[in-house]
């Protein structure tokens, strides 16, 4: 679910790279994930973050909120 507390489940059609960015666009972490993956992020402070999914012309961004 979004917003999340410490665990965030990502469901994708196929494995790809995932980047966790601050709201200002700074890279915080990167992951190589399978089609369904659970991210455990208890160390993040409450706030708004961006997920960059994929690379190149197939890049998508999603806003996530940590409580």
């Amino acid at each position: 679910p979004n917003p999340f507390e410490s665990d965030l489940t990502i469901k994708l059609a196929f494995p790809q790279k995932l980047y966790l960015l601050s709201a200002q666009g700074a890279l915080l972490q990167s992951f190589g994930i399978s089609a369904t993956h659970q991210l455990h992020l208890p160390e993040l402070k409450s706030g708004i973050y961006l997920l960059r999914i994929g690379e190149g012309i197939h890049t998508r961004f999603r806003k996530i909120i940590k409580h």
Side-chain angles (χ1 to χ4, degrees):
N2 188 18
F4 70 101
E5 301 231 359
S6 66
D7 295 323
L8 181 64
T9 301
I10 306 294
K11 294 181 181 180
L12 302 171
F14 52 88
Q16 54 190 304
K17 290 285 280 184
L18 179 78
Y19 302 90
L20 176 64
L21 310 171
S22 70
Q24 294 76 32
L27 178 64
L28 302 176
Q29 293 183 36
S30 63
F31 310 89
I33 66 168
S34 59
T36 299
H37 190 84
Q38 186 161 2
L39 300 177
H40 186 63
L41 302 168
E43 70 281 358
L44 288 182
K45 295 180 180 179
S46 296
I48 297 173
Y49 297 88
L50 297 172
L51 288 178
R52 181 178 135 198
I53 304 164
E55 298 180 291
I57 63 170
H58 301 290
T59 300
R60 297 182 315 271
F61 290 88
R62 296 290 181 261
K63 179 174 70 170
I64 59 171
I65 301 169
K66 168 119 192 265
H67 274 256

